[in-house]
Amino acid sequence: MNRTATDRLKGQSKQEQKNTLQMEKLPELPQEFQERMKGMLGEQWDAFWQSYEQPPKQGLRVNTLKGSPDRLLHYGLFGLRPVCWAEDGFYYEQGERPGRHPFHEAGVYYIQEPSAMAVAGLLKVCPGERVLDLCAAPGGKTAQLAAAMDGEGLLISNEIHTGRAKILSQNVERLGIRNCLVTNEAPETLSLRFPGFFHRILVDAPCSGEGMFRKDPQSRTQWSMDNVRMCAERQRGILDCAARMLLPGGRLVYSTCTFSPEEDEESVGGFLLAHPEFEEKGLLRIWPHLSEGEGHFAAVFEKAGEGKGDFEDLVRLQKGIPEKKLPKEYLFFEEHTLGGREKFPSRYLAFGEHLYLFPDQMPDLAGLKALRPGLELGEMKKNRFQPAHALALALKPEEAAQKIRLSLDGPEVFRYLHGETIPGQTAQGWCLVCVDDYSLGWGKAGNGQLKNHYPKGLRWN
């Protein structure tokens, strides 16, 4: 990086020159970090160093709970091209804004750093299993696990920090995940509550973030060896908790976005020494100078033995509302808007005036900080039932008896996202509003128009 400014910009397009000049205004890589990386990489150091002159790659992963990648590719959006290690992952072109698009609001995809897409698949989850994403915010890996489970089984997504847990819960809602319980607990608390309970556990551990120095340059200013050592100690404690919660015969994946051996290989070695019942099944590293992604590390472990007996022997399960006690207003809504009660099994839960559908095999929530105890169905309001936005996003268009389809190419979908009333409707009552064939929210039709029920906090300015 000692070349002259003219040499650095030579042969670049105007956009590339702009990116280069922006990169040069960013904080420098910490000197001690540079020396460590030189020792680790040897002859590859120059290529690693030069990779920081390039802008980070941007990606999104298609939410297969909503539709196939081919279905999205059909629209020709964002200049998408495949990420080789993620079947449903794609790079999008610089300058594109997929986060400001109706399909983003419909949960059709999740914007995710490409290297981060490599981790969740290592867990090899199957529908019907009990799965824990222990450090889950903001929710990208939870989304991948949920897609693999296809609505069957129990997914607990946990985040210790309350603010980040709220963001996690919002993303779970937007992506239409039905079988997810979002908790806001310390790993130690969960490990006491769920001994030997989960088939699969993902620990995407908080780390020093060295692998994100290109994507998040401001994080360079927070780096220190003291922080590396603190992270490594914390990670080992989290892994100990995960080990207690995994069933014999289960699989555990540990991942970080750092290059630090203390947080990666040494954490793996320390874990195996402390837990001889585990066997390492593989390691993965993604380097920014060898791939189109940021730095990432993952280790796969399996626990010796076979799973215990029935899960009801391990934890006390949540009891739901008897069907005969469900509010008549909700039953009316199910019958007229969803086309009948067969759409949902008998797992209903009330939190105040809010009604939820909780996942199969869900534990009793007493004493747990649960931000999202399953899929919110709606709220009772003065002898009427108002369906939740979460329910709309979890439905496929064919699951609603009444629906209104807004074209992606037309102006009405943008009017809806801005909170405006949509005229010219002949339906009566609650309608599922869709953008093309993806659910987007609720509206209530009457008198030839559709009253907008898109949440005020999500409306476009």
Side-chain angles (χ1 to χ4, degrees):
M1 290 191 179
N2 294 321
R3 295 174 294 161
T4 67
T6 301
D7 288 338
R8 289 194 296 272
L9 300 177
K10 187 176 181 180
Q12 295 185 353
S13 67
K14 288 184 178 180
Q15 181 62 49
E16 289 170 336
Q17 289 176 4
K18 181 179 178 181
N19 291 338
T20 298
L21 293 172
Q22 287 177 340
M23 292 291 291
E24 291 181 352
K25 295 178 182 178
L26 299 175
E28 289 289 334
L29 292 171
Q31 190 61 41
E32 189 174 3
F33 168 75
Q34 293 185 41
E35 297 303 321
R36 280 165 53 86
M37 295 307 297
K38 286 179 184 178
M40 286 177 61
L41 291 169
E43 294 180 354
Q44 295 188 47
W45 162 252
D46 285 343
F48 175 81
W49 175 249
Q50 290 169 13
S51 72
Y52 283 86
E53 293 186 347
Q54 305 301 318
K57 297 295 181 182
Q58 298 171 303
L60 60 83
R61 192 196 64 81
V62 176
N63 178 16
T64 55
L65 294 174
K66 295 293 185 85
S68 69
D70 286 345
R71 186 170 163 189
L72 177 62
L73 290 172
H74 173 75
Y75 288 91
L77 300 171
F78 316 131
L80 299 180
R81 57 187 182 84
V83 174
C84 66
W85 51 74
E87 183 179 359
D88 305 322
F90 297 87
Y91 300 100
Y92 63 86
E93 291 182 352
Q94 293 283 335
E96 294 286 353
R97 298 181 64 196
R100 185 70 172 180
H101 193 278
F103 283 172
H104 180 268
E105 307 308 312
V108 177
Y109 49 79
Y110 183 92
I111 296 173
Q112 188 174 25
E113 194 281 308
S115 292
M117 300 177 189
V119 174
L122 300 174
L123 206 57
K124 296 184 178 180
V125 303
C126 297
E129 292 182 325
R130 300 185 296 278
V131 181
L132 172 64
D133 189 354
L134 186 52
C135 312
K141 296 177 177 68
T142 280
Q144 287 178 271
L145 298 174
M149 298 174 75
D150 198 23
E152 298 181 21
L154 171 68
L155 173 59
I156 297 184
S157 294
N158 180 71
E159 173 57 44
I160 189 172
H161 298 289
T162 302
R164 287 171 56 80
K166 290 178 181 178
I167 294 171
L168 168 64
S169 184
Q170 291 165 1
N171 280 323
V172 167
E173 175 177 297
R174 181 174 62 83
L175 295 163
I177 301 172
R178 299 188 183 193
N179 61 324
C180 184
L181 166 64
V182 177
T183 56
N184 175 211
E185 294 285 2
E188 294 79 6
T189 301
L190 294 181
S191 70
L192 295 174
R193 189 70 175 265
F194 298 110
F197 182 68
F198 296 99
H199 297 94
R200 317 277 175 174
I201 299 178
L202 174 61
V203 177
D204 185 38
C207 67
S208 60
E210 296 172 354
M212 296 294 113
F213 281 174
R214 182 169 63 176
K215 180 184 176 185
D216 180 18
Q218 295 304 319
S219 64
R220 304 174 188 182
T221 63
Q222 302 167 10
W223 183 91
S224 70
M225 278 304 303
D226 286 342
N227 188 46
V228 167
R229 287 186 283 266
M230 180 192 71
C231 289
E233 183 177 353
R234 178 173 55 193
Q235 290 153 2
R236 290 166 192 167
I238 295 172
L239 278 171
D240 288 341
C241 293
R244 288 195 289 272
M245 290 186 278
L246 193 67
L247 270 169
R251 174 169 281 223
L252 166 65
V253 171
Y254 169 71
S255 68
T256 72
C257 56
T258 190
F259 306 117
S260 162
E262 291 88 346
E263 301 175 73
D264 295 342
E265 289 85 355
E266 291 180 23
S267 284
V268 168
F271 176 75
L272 292 172
L273 284 175
H275 298 278
E277 72 275 21
F278 280 83
E279 180 182 357
E280 180 199 311
K281 290 294 185 178
L283 297 176
L284 169 71
R285 265 203 184 276
I286 298 178
W287 295 95
H289 64 292
L290 298 177
S291 62
E292 292 187 280
E294 306 308 305
H296 235 80
F297 171 87
V300 182
F301 307 98
E302 288 187 358
K303 191 173 186 178
E306 297 182 1
K308 296 180 182 178
D310 191 50
F311 60 86
E312 295 182 30
D313 298 332
L314 302 173
V315 299
R316 186 174 60 187
L317 297 185
Q318 181 67 48
K319 293 183 179 179
I321 301 171
E323 293 182 34
K324 62 183 180 181
K325 293 188 176 182
L326 286 171
K328 64 180 184 299
E329 294 85 357
Y330 170 71
L331 297 178
F332 179 86
F333 168 81
E334 262 198 355
E335 182 66 32
H336 289 81
T337 307
L338 302 182
R341 304 255 350 273
E342 72 278 7
K343 294 292 185 298
F344 295 125
S346 303
R347 298 194 304 269
Y348 297 90
L349 184 68
F351 268 67
E353 298 300 313
H354 293 263
L355 187 66
Y356 288 82
L357 182 74
F358 63 81
D360 188 25
Q361 309 178 45
M362 192 175 85
D364 186 356
L365 297 179
L368 281 178
K369 289 183 284 186
L371 273 68
R372 180 184 174 86
L375 173 63
E376 185 180 3
L377 299 175
E379 181 181 6
M380 293 299 304
K381 288 189 172 184
K382 296 181 181 179
N383 297 319
R384 61 185 175 86
F385 179 79
Q386 181 164 317
H389 185 59
L391 174 60
L393 292 172
L395 292 170
K396 291 182 171 60
E398 59 268 24
E399 293 180 289
Q402 293 202 118
K403 50 187 169 287
I404 292 174
R405 182 182 182 274
L406 306 178
S407 172
L408 180 63
D409 298 327
E412 288 185 330
V413 67
F414 297 98
R415 293 183 60 186
Y416 178 77
L417 290 171
H418 281 91
E420 299 176 22
T421 297
I422 308 297
Q425 306 299 326
T426 58
Q428 294 290 322
W430 288 107
C431 299
L432 182 67
V433 179
C434 305
V435 49
D436 283 3
D437 293 318
Y438 299 105
S439 59
L440 187 59
W442 292 111
K444 197 167 188 180
N447 299 320
Q449 63 182 8
L450 183 74
K451 184 179 179 181
N452 198 310
H453 280 266
Y454 195 68
K456 291 182 180 179
L458 299 178
R459 291 177 182 178
W460 289 11
N461 296 323

